[in-house]
Amino acid sequence: MRTLENSVLSTMMRTPLTLSHLLERAGKIFPTSEIVTRMPDRSLHRYTYADFYRRSRALAEALQKAGMQPGDRVATLSWNTSAHLEAYFGIPVAGGVLHTLNLRLHPTDIAYIINHAEDRFLIVDDVLIKLYEAIKDHINVEKVIVVPLTGKPVPEGLTSYEDFLATATGDFSYPDLPEDTALGMCYTSGTTGKPKGVLYSHRSMILHSLGSALPDALNLGQSDVLTPVVPMFHVMAWGLPFTGIMVGCKIAMPGPHLDAVNLLDLYESEQVSKTAGVPTIWMGVLQALQKEPTRWTKLLPMEMVVGGAAAPEAMIRAYDTFNLKVVHAWGMTEMSPLGTVSRIKQNLAGSDPDILYALRACQGMPMPMVEVRAMNEHGEVPWDGHTMGELEVRGPWVAQSYFKQESERDKWSADGWFRTGDVVTISSEGYVKITDRTKDLIKSGGEWISSLDLENLLMGHPAVREAAVIAVTHPRWDERPLAAIVLKEGASVTTEELRAYLEPKVAKFWIPDAFVFVDEIPRTSTGKFLKMQLRDKFKDWNWE
Ligand code: AMP
């Protein structure tokens, strides 16, 4: 009889899947590839992968010298720039955890997130120093490093990023990191309650990068020029900084300039071939192109990945007229983020154009290694394209828990699937289509707004008896909040007063664009707000 040992065949090397490999590859194989950044003054900063390699390693060494221990969190409060890219690599290759902070959140939430993550170091762009000043008395970080994007002197008591890099001598050597070591973290507000931290590992990010580059995913190679418009504080810019550096392509970063004209200028001057962002950005770019229709002739026939919210079919069609291809993808912070991408399968390529557009407008097919199923009260729903269920996912780049948040265990099923909160149908061809959302949240321009938080705040106003906040489709922002208000007997309040009341309490973009005064809010038999009825009533709201 064969022993167990004999039957275990020796297979491949157990080389850990860690980021140091990508950084070494960048420095050795692609030293001349370019990285371009639009600076705050709109000038273009250029350098090569050779510079990026040297400076990322210098950051890694400087952090170690400053006492960073494996697993320490290093936060960034930054736009998409080459310095941020250095942090993306320099922090994790030294064993630290890159914690990207969403600069659009209310300062109170940013401070909460920094404290919850127990960040030890903070790297902040000088153009965001005001935001840092708004939170500095509420956080406890050991060292604040300021990236001098404008060249202005760094405020007293803070360290200049350039001085910090200068503390490195150049003899950095990579620590041996197991592939499951945490590489980065990102907080999501895409669920109810406080923001929740998701930790990515070196392994998950390497596998995600390999998957993302595939032709039927984001289709990236070394001859591409990549512009991630999606901020680097949103799920690691959808992993694109890692995928881009892995394939060795030129990267053109928009810095703080995300408006349509600056983006079109960048696409034109750098001859960008791949770009990615939320629908709001692409709606703006589309309008600018329609105003100046000859402009597109100076662009490459780019692929524009859109995700974070549903891509309207009309937008996909409109871009086709400019020879620009919208590729629709779906993902989540909890999924690194790529889950599905909508590409046309070969056997469907000859279908009627309307069918093809409908396919491109749905969320698409699961990525390799990502499993999907949709569940309703009877169990898994059939893949028939019309039975709805909550989408659940499983795979090597899907989170298995939230950081220090045991109360959220019910987001994972007993058999280990993650419940997304998105309600979908799945077709027999494997295309996922989102039809609704179970989370009571509004997604405006790619950013979450909690309807529950708004309701609680509004119900704290002395004139308000009840408030229900719903998402209503908006042509520019995808969704905007509308508040239905029931006043207390004899009380009165104006829309302006309600706005002014909310202003100091929430981020500006949270404030509802519409307040509607109603006699009562419809309720379910159990007394909860019947939001479906409200959503239906206000679905054709005129925002003008
Ligand atoms: P986040 O974690 O902030 O990236 O948000 C993830 C959520 O955004 C998903 O669960 C969806 O509700 C929504 N979402 C992301 N991509 C899409 C898409 N392509 N279409 C519709 N909703 C999307």
Side-chain angles (χ1 to χ4, degrees), residues 188 308-310 328-333 363 422 434 437 439 443 448:
T188 174
H328 192 191
W330 166 89
M332 296 183 77
T333 305
Q363 280 65 26
D422 289 326
I434 296 190
R437 202 183 270 153
K439 5 185 196 197
K443 205 164 197 192
W448 291 110

Side-chain angles (χ1 to χ4, degrees), residues 474-496:
H474 187 282
R476 168 139 190 240
W477 301 106
D478 209 53
E479 291 175 3
R480 286 297 298 153
L482 174 148
I485 306 280
V486 182
L487 290 178
K488 285 186 185 155
E489 226 171 272
S492 72
V493 68
T494 63
T495 297
E496 284 65 39

Side-chain angles (χ1 to χ4, degrees), residues 352-370:
D352 181 84
D354 286 344
I355 294 178
L356 294 180
Y357 275 117
L359 279 178
R360 287 177 60 193
C362 80
Q363 280 65 26
M365 291 177 290
M367 294 274 294
M369 303 311 295
V370 173

Side-chain angles (χ1 to χ4, degrees), residues 191-510:
T191 48
T192 42
K194 285 275 184 209
K196 288 158 196 74
V198 175
L199 277 167
Y200 311 108
S201 67
H202 282 254
R203 177 177 194 268
S204 70
M205 208 41 97
I206 297 284
L207 290 173
H208 181 266
S209 303
L210 289 166
S212 303
L214 289 173
D216 285 333
L218 305 190
N219 186 21
L220 263 187
Q222 49 89 20
S223 56
D224 274 311
V225 180
L226 169 69
T227 292
V229 182
V230 48
M232 289 167 84
F233 53 79
H234 263 180
V235 212
M236 310 266 142
W238 301 347
L240 286 167
F242 300 117
T243 315
I245 294 289
M246 178 187 78
V247 301
C249 68
K250 173 175 166 180
I251 299 176
M253 293 291 200
H257 300 287
L258 305 183
D259 61 285
V261 171
N262 270 303
L263 287 177
L264 283 168
D265 285 350
L266 192 68
Y267 294 150
E268 187 180 326
S269 70
E270 304 313 311
Q271 289 291 282
V272 172
S273 58
K274 301 281 158 62
T275 182
V278 294
T280 301
I281 295 279
W282 303 141
M283 293 304 277
V285 170
L286 182 61
Q287 266 175 12
L289 276 175
Q290 284 165 337
K291 258 195 218 142
E292 210 186 332
T294 54
R295 184 108 203 221
W296 70 272
T297 56
K298 298 180 190 138
L299 305 179
L300 287 188
M302 285 191 297
E303 278 196 355
M304 316 172 80
V305 180
V306 52
E313 187 182 314
M315 184 180 92
I316 301 177
R317 286 177 184 262
Y319 269 113
D320 274 359
T321 65
F322 293 115
N323 209 16
L324 299 169
K325 185 172 173 192
V326 172
V327 178
H328 192 191
W330 166 89
M332 296 183 77
T333 305
E334 291 86 340
M335 300 186 66
S336 309
L338 221 50
T340 65
V341 183
S342 205
R343 299 268 184 189
I344 303 295
K345 277 164 67 170
Q346 205 188 6
N347 59 319
L348 301 173
S351 309
D352 181 84
D354 286 344
I355 294 178
L356 294 180
Y357 275 117
L359 279 178
R360 287 177 60 193
C362 80
Q363 280 65 26
M365 291 177 290
M367 294 274 294
M369 303 311 295
V370 173
E371 292 173 85
V372 297
R373 69 181 186 190
M375 304 293 282
N376 68 12
E377 62 278 21
H378 308 296
E380 188 172 350
V381 307
W383 288 25
D384 58 10
H386 64 85
T387 314
M388 287 190 274
E390 182 179 357
L391 179 63
E392 297 190 356
V393 291
R394 195 161 73 167
W397 55 80
V398 180
Q400 55 181 343
S401 62
Y402 291 119
F403 179 62
K404 295 197 308 191
Q405 205 98 41
E406 273 313 303
S407 59
E408 297 290 327
R409 281 307 322 160
D410 66 340
K411 294 268 157 40
W412 284 265
S413 71
D415 55 347
W417 292 69
F418 174 69
R419 301 193 169 113
T420 64
D422 289 326
V423 178
V424 301
T425 60
I426 307 178
S427 76
S428 57
E429 294 283 353
Y431 284 84
V432 174
K433 182 173 169 13
I434 296 190
T435 55
D436 201 0
R437 202 183 270 153
T438 63
K439 5 185 196 197
D440 195 2
L441 294 160
I442 300 149
K443 205 164 197 192
S444 165
E447 302 283 349
W448 291 110
I449 298 172
S450 163
S451 39
L452 258 159
D453 285 356
L454 281 176
E455 286 161 8
N456 287 335
L457 284 170
L458 283 167
M459 288 194 268
H461 188 282
V464 176
R465 181 153 66 95
E466 279 181 352
V469 178
I470 53 162
V472 179
T473 309
H474 187 282
R476 168 139 190 240
W477 301 106
D478 209 53
E479 291 175 3
R480 286 297 298 153
L482 174 148
I485 306 280
V486 182
L487 290 178
K488 285 186 185 155
E489 226 171 272
S492 72
V493 68
T494 63
T495 297
E496 284 65 39
E497 283 165 347
L498 287 175
R499 280 211 176 97
Y501 169 77
L502 288 176
E503 229 159 57
K505 300 183 172 66
V506 295
K508 223 170 158 181
F509 74 92
W510 274 44

